[in-house]
Amino acid sequence: MKKLYAKRSFVFLIMIIYFLGAAAQTNPGTVNKKKQPVVRDGQHDFDFEIGTWKTDLKVLLNPLTDSAKWVSFKGTSVVRKILNGKANVVELTVSGQAGSIEGLSLRLYNPHAHQWSLNFSNIRSGILSTAAIGEFINGRGEFYNQETINSRAVLVKFIISPVNSDTCRFEQSYSDDGGKTWETNWIAVDTRLKE
């Protein structure tokens, strides 16, 4: 009888310890609160680019086919702030021996995610591409999406690197091996035109 009583007392004691521990974990006064990381407001990340730029563009013909043939274009990019800086529009107009490119990029800031979506349309297609999503870290913008190239789904990386207040570099790369290797296929260097 004493053994049964001792067993029940022991089980009862374990249950009390368990419930006290559980109550301490759910009591907000006893929980160690983790510090929330400070998230940088990137709404003004593109402010440096507002204005008119001379654009020198190189495009790789037939990407992801071991092609080494690049074509060059020259023209302008005009960047306008809209919606009080929460968005901007880029108008690209370039031409070269391979023809011309007229494009529009709509960039939208998501204040909850603290990220930008870059939505591009070549006027020839008349549709917006899949949005590239990303942000600026230490002055460098990095944006990713997925597109279909040569009937295959590929990853796309778009890098924006301000060189100084009057020069900016844009570089797009594709990866068809899940991001292990990247092939650059679009390089633009913009130089600010003085108003």
Side-chain angles (χ1 to χ4, degrees):
M1 183 79 164
K2 283 184 179 180
K3 285 185 181 180
L4 182 61
Y5 180 75
K7 262 188 182 177
R8 286 184 183 168
S9 297
F10 180 74
V11 170
F12 184 71
L13 181 63
I14 295 297
M15 289 175 61
I16 289 174
I17 291 170
Y18 173 78
F19 286 116
L20 286 175
Q25 288 180 358
T26 58
N27 183 347
T30 61
V31 174
N32 289 334
K33 293 184 181 178
K34 288 185 179 179
K35 251 186 161 177
Q36 293 295 328
V38 177
V39 181
R40 189 181 69 78
D41 179 9
Q43 178 178 316
H44 298 285
D45 284 341
F46 283 103
D47 285 2
F48 77 92
E49 199 188 359
I50 304 304
T52 303
W53 302 75
K54 177 180 76 113
T55 299
D56 291 307
L57 171 64
K58 290 190 334 182
V59 177
L60 179 66
L61 290 180
N62 305 311
L64 301 175
T65 63
D66 293 327
S67 170
K69 183 168 181 169
W70 290 78
V71 291
S72 296
F73 300 87
K74 292 187 179 298
T76 58
S77 294
V78 179
V79 185
R80 292 182 182 87
K81 186 187 294 193
I82 56 176
L83 299 174
N84 200 26
K86 296 176 188 135
N88 62 66
V89 175
V90 182
E91 292 178 65
L92 171 71
T93 307
V94 293
S95 60
Q97 289 183 335
S100 64
I101 299 172
E102 289 180 285
L104 173 102
S105 183
L106 173 63
R107 300 161 171 168
L108 302 167
Y109 184 66
N110 180 332
H112 303 291
H114 301 278
Q115 293 180 314
W116 286 87
S117 65
L118 311 184
N119 308 273
F120 183 77
S121 177
N122 186 321
I123 296 306
R124 280 182 281 172
S125 71
I127 59 171
L128 288 173
S129 64
T130 303
I133 307 294
E135 61 194 309
F136 279 80
I137 298 174
N138 298 323
R140 179 178 186 263
E142 207 166 298
F143 306 87
Y144 293 91
N145 70 353
Q146 182 177 310
E147 292 182 13
T148 302
I149 307 295
N150 304 326
S151 301
R152 287 179 51 91
V154 300
L155 296 177
V156 181
K157 175 171 60 173
F158 193 71
I159 303 296
I160 301 174
S161 305
V163 177
N164 55 46
S165 61
D166 293 324
T167 309
C168 191
R169 179 182 170 91
F170 304 84
E171 187 174 300
Q172 177 179 271
S173 303
Y174 291 153
S175 174
D176 63 357
D177 60 9
K180 293 176 190 163
T181 61
W182 294 90
E183 178 186 73
T184 302
N185 59 67
W186 172 289
I187 300 171
V189 176
D190 283 7
T191 307
R192 186 180 301 279
L193 292 174
K194 303 298 181 187
E195 305 266 333

